[in-house]
Amino acid sequence: MTSIVGLGSEEGLRHRPVVEAVMRGAFARKEEYRAFAIEAPRLSSGQVDFLFASAEEGHEPGDIFRRLRWGGQFVFCSVQAREVEEVAKRFAGHGFEVETLPTYVREGRQGWMRWVWMGRRVYYFVARKVNLIPPGETTERFTYDVRLVWDEKLGEHVVVKSVPTLESVVGRLRKRFPEVREQVLENKGRKFTERIFPLFITRETAMLQILQKGLPKPYDKRIPRAIDVEKDERGFVRRFTMNWLRNGSRPISQLEFARQSADLLHIVHDQVGVIHLDLRLDNFVITDTGVGFVDFGSSVRVGEDLKQNPLLGQLFDELMHTSQIQVMLERMTTSGMVTSQAIKNGYKKVDKAVDFFYLALQISQPHSNPELKPLIRYEPGSASARELAKLTQEILKPTDPANPPYRSALDILRGIIAIKDYVKEG
């Protein structure tokens, strides 16, 4: 199923002359269009990489934002130049960047290597979704400002991650704690923007540099690479740029997803010596070069003494009690779903077990992140799905909890390879 979709029916899309004219005249030969509009599947959530609309359809920025993947493009088409200009103005901001200012193509029928005849002008503009969340909206987690930016020197889009403004943090706190005095909220906001966020973004930049130095090829292409760093007068990073690990267009099997994930985690843990600590599926990507991990903001070095920095020690102590992964580990341990002593040793601790515990869950439930759903071929009743589910159970609840066979990402990788061989032979 194609990712090209209008706001009306797909059947209607194929017969809208203005949209077809823009597709053929401005996009048909573009590499990104061919890779992400023609080949890529549509997400189960309805999100797409390219969204075309004509004047007869709704085109409010908020609605369009929800329909596009991060980095996706909205193309508005009309025979009226002024209408295109007015709609383009509404998309300047609102989480979008207008990449192609209003311009036009000629409506016509394309022949071999050239237009056979020329028709009326069809005007259009192109806006790319560059924000992760719509302006003014918040998520359950405190987060940085993250957006896509075109890098002229590199000739590609990059990800810019920066400490959020004091105003945005205070605004979020105000929504969560409306009864708290403004001065208290502002003091709390300053702590976040002047101490906590700078500390973690500085650590993330350092971790990415450690990973890039330590990762062998081709694993280095599956972790973001820090490109440019901006620091304040204290030496803390306030903003940094990294390459965009964009989810690709070619799906892989569940077994291959599991194998690549375990393999990469093994390299990150055992060759580079970094623990991620937040391996939710939201922090996985499936690029055309393989499964990758992003968001190393909570990561640590193996054996790192966090208590050398009192603030850092306090923050990680809180994180090990309140993070989504630790909460789930506690719930599953209490209910008896996790009995492995190797995993239980990581409870409320900075430990590799935190990563391979969550990895074990992800490989058997790969569709819990809707953005990855079209990129992982998962059939619950298949032999590979059944075997991976059994593997997850063996990891979490082994026959001998005190001496579990799976104590590392490498152990899990070996288990997955054995399944691959078994399923292939069967």
Side-chain angles (χ1 to χ4, degrees), residues 88-158:
K89 289 177 182 177
R90 298 211 304 270
F91 275 80
H94 297 286
F96 290 92
E97 183 78 27
V98 176
E99 286 195 348
T100 301
L101 295 172
T103 185
Y104 69 90
V105 295
R106 291 269 186 188
E107 193 175 36
R109 180 167 58 85
Q110 194 174 27
W112 181 252
M113 300 297 289
R114 64 187 181 88
W115 291 101
V116 174
W117 56 272
M118 297 294 184
R120 61 182 175 174
R121 291 182 176 184
V122 177
Y123 298 88
Y124 71 96
F125 76 89
V126 182
R128 187 183 295 269
K129 177 178 173 178
V130 294
N131 282 22
L132 277 174
I133 59 175
E137 292 189 16
T138 60
T139 64
E140 289 299 315
R141 310 170 74 209
F142 274 96
T143 187
Y144 298 89
D145 287 333
V146 181
R147 58 183 285 117
L148 290 172
V149 173
W150 177 257
D151 188 301
E152 289 288 350
K153 292 181 181 179
L154 296 176
E156 62 185 40
H157 282 91
V158 296

Side-chain angles (χ1 to χ4, degrees), residues 243-256:
N243 61 314
W244 180 22
L245 293 187
R246 183 176 188 174
N247 280 320
S249 58
R250 296 190 290 272
I252 61 176
S253 69
Q254 180 192 6
L255 258 176
E256 186 59 17

Side-chain angles (χ1 to χ4, degrees), residues 171-184:
R172 178 183 171 86
L173 289 169
R174 190 182 298 118
K175 287 182 179 179
R176 293 184 63 180
F177 309 105
E179 72 285 355
V180 177
R181 289 187 299 111
E182 191 70 16
Q183 186 60 52
V184 175

